[in-house]
């Protein structure tokens, strides 16, 4: 949980592939991993996700964009580097971090 939001992740092995966020049991946003690439630092990977936000409880899209995250092998969460809007305006920044692996606890302190 992130305040009033529920967050669910789906992955293959240790890799987080998809996420969804719900409010009052209605999906308000989804994200999917598009790519991952190495950097000059062997401990750092960059991943790109595509996020889509909806009018609560409907299939009506209000925002679509991409977020590039930097993931360090020793940290449970990847940090955002850039946000590229493609359509609309983000109603809420729900993908402010991305788990670096499936066993990371989503929103624990």
């Amino acid at each position: 949980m992130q305040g009033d939001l529920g967050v669910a992740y789906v992955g293959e092995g240790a890799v987080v592939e998809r996420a969804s966020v719900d409010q009052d049991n209605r999906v308000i946003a989804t994200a999917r991993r598009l790519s991952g690439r190495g950097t000059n630092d062997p401990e750092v990977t960059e991943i790109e996700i595509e996020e889509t936000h909806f009018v609560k409880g409907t299939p009506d899209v209000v925002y679509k964009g991409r977020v590039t995250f930097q993931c360090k092998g020793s940290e449970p969460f990847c940090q955002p580097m850039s946000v590229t809007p493609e359509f609309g305006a983000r109603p809420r920044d729900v993908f402010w971090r991305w788990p670096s692996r499936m066993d990371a606890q989503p929103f624990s302190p």
Side-chain angles (χ1 to χ4, degrees):
M1 292 288 285
Q2 177 187 350
D4 63 331
L5 303 177
V7 181
Y9 297 102
V10 176
E12 188 169 316
V15 177
V16 178
E17 296 288 345
R18 294 182 178 276
S20 64
V21 177
D22 70 83
Q23 184 178 36
D24 301 325
N25 295 317
R26 297 181 187 269
V27 173
I28 61 168
T30 61
R32 67 184 178 105
R33 181 180 167 136
L34 297 175
S35 65
R37 57 190 168 273
T39 65
N40 290 337
D41 182 341
E43 288 294 312
V44 177
T45 302
E46 291 179 1
I47 64 167
E48 184 175 42
I49 69 160
E50 176 183 67
E51 64 176 316
T52 305
H53 293 248
F54 306 94
V55 174
K56 184 173 151 183
T58 75
D60 300 336
V61 175
V62 295
Y63 173 81
K64 195 166 199 153
R66 294 175 184 230
V67 181
T68 302
F69 288 93
Q70 185 177 66
C71 308
K72 295 181 180 175
S74 60
E75 296 178 5
F77 295 96
C78 306
Q79 301 302 315
M81 295 172 46
S82 65
V83 176
T84 307
E86 294 176 2
F87 167 80
R90 253 179 166 181
R92 194 166 176 177
D93 185 12
V94 295
F95 298 112
W96 55 276
R97 65 182 183 174
W98 190 263
S100 59
R101 57 190 181 276
M102 281 299 294
D103 62 356
Q105 296 300 311
F107 294 101
S108 59

